[in-house]
Amino acid sequence: MARKKFSGLEISLIVLFIIVTIIAIALVAVLATRTPAVDESSDSTSTSPTTRTTTTTPTVYPGSGKCPSVLHDPINERINCIPEQFPTQSICAMRGCCWRPWNNSGIPWCFFVDNHGYNAETITKTDTGVEATLNRISSPTVFGNDINTVRLTTQNQTPNRFRFKITDPNNRRYEVPHEFVKEFNGPAASDTLYDVTVAENPFSIKVIRKSTKKTLFDTSIGPLVYSDQYLQISTRLPTEYMYGLGEHIHKRFRHDLYWKTWPIFTRDQLPGDNNNNLYGHQTFFMCIEETSGKSFGVFLMNSNAMEIFIQPTPIVTYRITGGILDFYIFLGDTPEQVVQQYQELIGRPAMPAYWNLGFQLSRWNYKSLDVVKEVVKRNRDAGIPFDTQVTDIDYMEEKKAFTYDTVTFNGLPEFVQDLHNHGQKYVIILDPGIAISSRINGAAYETYNRGNEKHVWINESDGTTPLIGEVWPGLTVYPDFTNPNCIDWWANECSIFHQEVKYDGLWIVGADICGFVVETTEELCRRWMQLGAFYPFARNHNADAYEHQDPAFFGQNSLLVNSSRHYLNIRYTLLPYLYTLFYKAHMFGETVARPFLHEFYADVNSWIEDTQFLWGPALLITPVLKQGSKRPWKKQRVDMYLPADKIGLHLRGGYIIPIQQPAVTTTA
């Protein structure tokens, strides 16, 4: 059959249809990814096929900078452009970043290139350092509400301390109202151990140690992001030996640099096998540079919720939900010196009372005062050195602060007097969440009423309505300790309650010897008591609903009791030395419990040692952390015989160790 001949009109329509179809397919592809393709930087060489899963041409937002070529794409230096969620190509394109999937989920698939950040303009010298105006480079936003103009201020505060901060010159943002850190007005230190360079296009800042020309802090590795509720800055570090940050469960003293996220947002959370944020907000880390001991520290003065991301190279990226960027960098000749410089800035620790250094017993929910009395008696009978008995919230009436339960803890004032008669102390917990309900007998809760009268609560955004939450006693209000009236009110409540119950101190958070949750075992508790005898703060504490774990619970003549008594007697013998270390911490910022690294930094093995520690410079404590006892000791590994009732203690030659005759309390 002969083929039909198409008319000119039909041919035109067919061609038009084909063209429209091609355009439609292209549009569908573009809309599906929201990503127009662009050429990457050309290079004739590719990376090894074992490191990549795809050869997809990388793409960026129109008008943006170029992605690096495959050859010049150092994957460990990629700064993640989508840190908050699983990355997609469309989100990456909207943020104007480079998309290149990789076979390792830790390595960012979407990463910043050279089109984000700020340019520095009008750099001027000041009495403290320099100031510069930073103008945002025109680029897609990451989280919105970008601040287009920010101000850089640098301060050469001391020969070994440098500060720089980045603020919004047009709007005041939250800054930490620190008790000890005051504003620096100059003059700038002239004999600094560091040089500082500020790059203009794009902006970055470097801190360089003069003596070695080593760059310690370098933000050129990634862009500055400065928006209303999201701040980001990255720095390259010169060493892989990094320590600090918290509070978290760190598996090792030295940081794991393999794509780790460490959130910081203080909350009452149990430790676990994860990277979750715990009680403390510690934004300080330290690095050792070389075997001479030269080290540096970095402190970010910011109390907002944040996460700190650590990746190989190494690179540290700060992602912060508010406030300002306010960095302090410390240069020391030794790790210990860096810690001293840090404490010189933020304030050195308070001097503890001598009895604070004695052994303490505690638990959550003794259930009644009779049980507490039984615990005290059996440990006295066992001859356990024992200075302080602590009670948790179970002593309170319906968990209300500044009250005690006159039924289950009837006779508490008399019990406290008995402790005092035996040279012992009584410590209570006080939770700042204040109940808004009445007392159990219907009477007014005077602590709450007096706080209302003085307007001491944290308020809602209107500034007048108390913020109501829910904690242990139910619906609660929260004291605003930035309000001087609140501090006076709190001190007065402590005084009023002390007239009723002669307590000696208030609870502090510390490591719980023998563990807080899950039932302990005799072996675990015995080894923990041996170790805990050398904690600066030594308290045995466990949670509600678990079996008792005070030493005497395991039997009056048990291996655990005898071992605990032995090492607590050593602790009490060494209390003058421990007290001296606390004095040096209070006066000079020295460490009490000291990492092995701080004394033996000339040996690189010390840079990763974290299964033993020192008291000051002179006493090495080597606990048993698992079965067997192959232990490290200065450039060699030795098998140390540590039977069930022993741990390793070594005195360092050339030091004087003050001691005393031990007793069952610090006052006996």
Side-chain angles (χ1 to χ4, degrees), residues 220-233:
S220 66
I221 191 65
L224 169 65
V225 179
Y226 209 114
S227 55
D228 185 36
Q229 290 186 297
Y230 184 77
L231 312 179
Q232 178 174 307
I233 194 168

Side-chain angles (χ1 to χ4, degrees), residues 48 82 187 218 338 369 446 552 572 596 625 650 655:
S48 167
I82 311 178
D218 177 7
V338 171
L369 183 59
E446 294 297 341
Y572 276 60
F596 197 73
L625 303 175
H650 291 85
Y655 289 86

Side-chain angles (χ1 to χ4, degrees), residues 523-545:
E523 181 183 12
L524 174 62
C525 193
R526 170 170 29 92
R527 290 302 195 184
W528 208 330
M529 282 294 299
Q530 294 166 2
L531 165 61
F534 299 94
Y535 285 168
F537 173 70
R539 183 188 66 189
N540 181 312
H541 177 67
N542 68 329
D544 185 24

Side-chain angles (χ1 to χ4, degrees), residues 487-507:
I487 296 173
D488 293 340
W489 162 82
W490 182 263
N492 185 54
E493 295 303 318
C494 289
S495 177
I496 292 171
F497 188 57
H498 187 264
Q499 295 171 26
E500 190 173 3
V501 178
K502 302 295 184 183
Y503 63 89
D504 299 286
L506 302 180
W507 174 293

Side-chain angles (χ1 to χ4, degrees), residues 622-660:
T622 309
V624 175
L625 303 175
K626 57 180 68 173
Q627 195 170 14
S629 55
K630 195 168 186 178
R631 310 300 307 176
W633 173 245
K634 279 199 75 176
K635 296 189 179 179
Q636 61 181 322
R637 303 246 167 207
V638 298
D639 287 326
M640 189 182 302
Y641 177 61
L642 296 175
D645 62 340
K646 293 292 187 290
I647 62 170
L649 298 177
H650 291 85
L651 291 173
R652 189 177 180 187
Y655 289 86
I656 296 174
I657 310 293
I659 61 174
Q660 69 178 16

